[in-house]
CSV table of all heavy atoms in Angstrom, one decimal:
chain,number,residue,atom,x,y,z
E,160,ALA,N,-8.1,16.4,9.0
E,160,ALA,CA,-9.4,15.7,9.0
E,160,ALA,C,-10.2,16.1,10.3
E,160,ALA,O,-11.4,16.3,10.4
E,160,ALA,CB,-9.2,14.2,8.9
E,161,LYS,N,-9.4,16.1,11.4
E,161,LYS,CA,-10.0,16.4,12.7
E,161,LYS,C,-10.6,17.8,12.7
E,161,LYS,O,-11.7,18.0,13.2
E,161,LYS,CB,-8.9,16.3,13.8
E,161,LYS,CG,-9.5,15.9,15.2
E,161,LYS,CD,-8.5,15.4,16.1
E,161,LYS,CE,-9.2,15.1,17.4
E,161,LYS,NZ,-8.2,15.0,18.5
E,165,ALA,N,-14.0,15.5,9.5
E,165,ALA,CA,-14.2,14.5,8.4
E,165,ALA,C,-13.4,13.2,8.8
E,165,ALA,O,-12.6,13.2,9.7
E,165,ALA,CB,-13.6,15.0,7.1
E,166,MET,N,-13.8,12.2,8.2
E,166,MET,CA,-13.2,10.9,8.4
E,166,MET,C,-11.9,10.7,7.6
E,166,MET,O,-11.9,11.1,6.4
E,166,MET,CB,-14.2,9.8,8.0
E,166,MET,CG,-13.8,8.4,8.4
E,166,MET,SD,-15.3,7.3,8.3
E,166,MET,CE,-15.6,7.2,6.6
E,167,LEU,N,-10.8,10.3,8.2
E,167,LEU,CA,-9.6,10.0,7.4
E,167,LEU,C,-9.4,8.5,7.2
E,167,LEU,O,-9.4,7.7,8.1
E,167,LEU,CB,-8.4,10.5,8.2
E,167,LEU,CG,-7.0,10.2,7.5
E,167,LEU,CD1,-6.9,11.0,6.2
E,167,LEU,CD2,-5.8,10.5,8.4
E,168,VAL,N,-9.4,8.2,5.9
E,168,VAL,CA,-9.2,6.8,5.5
E,168,VAL,C,-7.9,6.6,4.7
E,168,VAL,O,-7.6,7.4,3.9
E,168,VAL,CB,-10.3,6.2,4.6
E,168,VAL,CG1,-10.1,4.8,4.3
E,168,VAL,CG2,-11.7,6.4,5.4
E,169,VAL,N,-7.0,5.7,5.1
E,169,VAL,CA,-5.8,5.5,4.5
E,169,VAL,C,-5.8,4.1,3.8
E,169,VAL,O,-6.0,3.1,4.4
E,169,VAL,CB,-4.6,5.5,5.5
E,169,VAL,CG1,-3.3,5.2,4.8
E,169,VAL,CG2,-4.5,6.9,6.2
E,181,PRO,N,-1.5,3.1,10.2
E,181,PRO,CA,-2.2,4.5,10.1
E,181,PRO,C,-3.1,4.8,11.2
E,181,PRO,O,-3.2,6.0,11.6
E,181,PRO,CB,-3.0,4.3,8.8
E,181,PRO,CG,-2.3,3.3,8.0
E,181,PRO,CD,-1.8,2.3,8.9
E,182,LEU,N,-3.8,3.8,11.9
E,182,LEU,CA,-4.7,4.1,13.0
E,182,LEU,C,-3.9,4.7,14.1
E,182,LEU,O,-4.4,5.6,14.8
E,182,LEU,CB,-5.4,2.8,13.5
E,182,LEU,CG,-6.3,2.1,12.5
E,182,LEU,CD1,-7.0,0.9,13.1
E,182,LEU,CD2,-7.4,3.1,11.9
E,185,GLY,N,-3.5,8.4,13.7
E,185,GLY,CA,-4.7,9.2,13.7
E,185,GLY,C,-5.7,9.0,12.6
E,185,GLY,O,-6.7,9.7,12.6
E,186,ALA,N,-5.5,8.0,11.8
E,186,ALA,CA,-6.5,7.7,10.8
E,186,ALA,C,-7.7,7.0,11.5
E,186,ALA,O,-7.6,6.4,12.5
E,186,ALA,CB,-6.0,6.7,9.7
E,187,ASP,N,-8.9,7.2,10.9
E,187,ASP,CA,-10.1,6.6,11.4
E,187,ASP,C,-10.3,5.2,10.9
E,187,ASP,O,-11.0,4.4,11.5
E,187,ASP,CB,-11.4,7.5,11.0
E,187,ASP,CG,-11.2,8.9,11.7
E,187,ASP,OD1,-11.3,8.9,12.9
E,187,ASP,OD2,-11.0,9.8,10.9
E,188,MET,N,-9.8,5.0,9.7
E,188,MET,CA,-10.0,3.7,9.0
E,188,MET,C,-8.8,3.4,8.1
E,188,MET,O,-8.2,4.3,7.5
E,188,MET,CB,-11.3,3.9,8.1
E,188,MET,CG,-12.2,2.7,8.3
E,188,MET,SD,-13.6,3.0,7.2
E,188,MET,CE,-14.5,1.6,7.8
E,189,VAL,N,-8.6,2.1,8.0
E,189,VAL,CA,-7.5,1.6,7.0
E,189,VAL,C,-8.2,0.8,6.0
E,189,VAL,O,-9.1,0.0,6.3
E,189,VAL,CB,-6.5,0.8,7.8
E,189,VAL,CG1,-5.6,0.1,6.8
E,189,VAL,CG2,-5.7,1.7,8.7
E,209,VAL,N,-10.5,-1.7,8.3
E,209,VAL,CA,-10.3,-1.8,9.8
E,209,VAL,C,-10.5,-0.5,10.5
E,209,VAL,O,-10.1,0.6,9.9
E,209,VAL,CB,-8.8,-2.3,10.1
E,209,VAL,CG1,-8.6,-2.3,11.6
E,209,VAL,CG2,-8.5,-3.6,9.5
E,210,THR,N,-11.1,-0.5,11.6
E,210,THR,CA,-11.3,0.8,12.4
E,210,THR,C,-11.3,0.4,13.9
E,210,THR,O,-11.4,-0.7,14.3
E,210,THR,CB,-12.7,1.5,12.0
E,210,THR,OG1,-12.8,2.7,12.7
E,210,THR,CG2,-13.9,0.6,12.4
E,211,ARG,N,-11.2,1.5,14.7
E,211,ARG,CA,-11.3,1.3,16.2
E,211,ARG,C,-12.6,1.9,16.6
E,211,ARG,O,-13.0,1.7,17.8
E,211,ARG,CB,-10.2,2.2,16.9
E,211,ARG,CG,-8.8,1.6,16.8
E,211,ARG,CD,-7.9,2.6,17.4
E,211,ARG,NE,-6.5,2.1,17.2
E,211,ARG,CZ,-5.4,2.8,17.3
E,211,ARG,NH1,-5.5,4.0,17.7
E,211,ARG,NH2,-4.3,2.2,17.1
E,212,ASP,N,-13.2,2.7,15.8
E,212,ASP,CA,-14.4,3.5,16.1
E,212,ASP,C,-15.7,2.6,16.0
E,212,ASP,O,-16.0,2.1,15.0
E,212,ASP,CB,-14.5,4.7,15.2
E,212,ASP,CG,-15.6,5.7,15.5
E,212,ASP,OD1,-16.8,5.2,15.6
E,212,ASP,OD2,-15.3,6.8,15.7
E,215,ILE,N,-18.3,3.9,13.4
E,215,ILE,CA,-17.9,3.6,12.0
E,215,ILE,C,-18.1,2.1,11.8
E,215,ILE,O,-18.6,1.7,10.7
E,215,ILE,CB,-16.5,4.1,11.8
E,215,ILE,CG1,-16.4,5.6,11.9
E,215,ILE,CG2,-16.0,3.6,10.4
E,215,ILE,CD1,-15.0,6.2,11.7
Side-chain angles (χ1 to χ4, degrees):
K161 207 164 180 199
M166 189 163 70
L167 174 68
V168 182
V169 176
L182 298 180
D187 298 292
M188 226 179 186
V189 169
V209 177
T210 184
R211 287 175 184 166
D212 185 305
I215 294 175

